[in-house]
Amino acid sequence: MATLRGLQMISDDVTSFTAYAQETISGGQFVKAVSDNDVIEAGSVAAYAASDIAVAKMDAGADNELVVGIALETATSGNSITVGTKGIYILPAGADAIGVGKALMPGSDTTAFANTVQLVADGNEEFKVGKALTGASASGKYIAALVRI
């Protein structure tokens, strides 16, 4: 098992990108896209600046639709941050028990938004962030999760 920037990972096969934090974000938190419109002004790489992609921590159930990954390190506002979009992570179960192979979405417990996951609710398939590779008998237990955002 590997530890990458404070987040517990089972696999080193990680896909990630660099973004800029709009607030202090702790490693392991789900993050959402918060970039402004029209920050890229032309259709070329020359028109792109690394700071064009901005993220903030997910902090409300409505943020599920905006989730773009998991913070792989801690960053303060205005600094770069690495965001993981694929990998196998150890994450806490949120609202309920989770069965092996079940589809996962970010947790909706407002007191534990750091990185909990829960079962994808009916009608919320677009919020899926991965699958459970192990199960959890109750909230607060840990699972191995294949994250693919």
Side-chain angles (χ1 to χ4, degrees):
M1 179 169 41
T3 300
L4 177 65
R5 299 177 181 101
L7 182 64
Q8 292 294 312
M9 296 177 36
I10 294 174
S11 168
D12 288 334
D13 180 22
V14 175
T15 303
S16 64
F17 65 93
T18 300
Y20 278 77
Q22 276 204 336
E23 62 185 331
T24 297
I25 300 170
S26 297
Q29 290 184 305
F30 280 105
V31 296
K32 61 184 176 180
V34 292
S35 296
D36 293 327
N37 290 335
D38 303 325
V39 293
I40 300 174
E41 297 180 3
S44 70
V45 175
Y48 167 76
S51 60
D52 288 343
I53 300 174
V55 295
K57 61 188 169 194
M58 190 182 107
D59 55 10
D63 290 345
N64 281 336
E65 65 191 55
L66 307 173
V67 170
V68 294
I70 297 177
L72 297 183
E73 60 194 338
T74 297
T76 55
S77 181
N79 289 303
S80 65
I81 186 167
T82 304
V83 177
T85 59
K86 179 185 150 216
I88 300 173
Y89 302 92
I90 295 177
L91 299 171
D96 298 306
I98 295 174
V100 175
K102 297 294 186 178
L104 302 171
M105 63 188 277
S108 60
D109 178 356
T110 57
T111 63
F113 262 107
N115 63 351
T116 62
V117 287
Q118 66 186 36
L119 297 174
V120 172
D122 290 340
N124 289 329
E125 290 77 15
E126 69 269 26
F127 303 143
K128 179 181 170 182
V129 296
K131 285 201 170 232
L133 298 177
T134 63
S137 61
S139 175
K141 300 291 185 178
Y142 290 85
I143 65 165
L146 173 60
V147 173
R148 293 180 297 197
I149 300 173

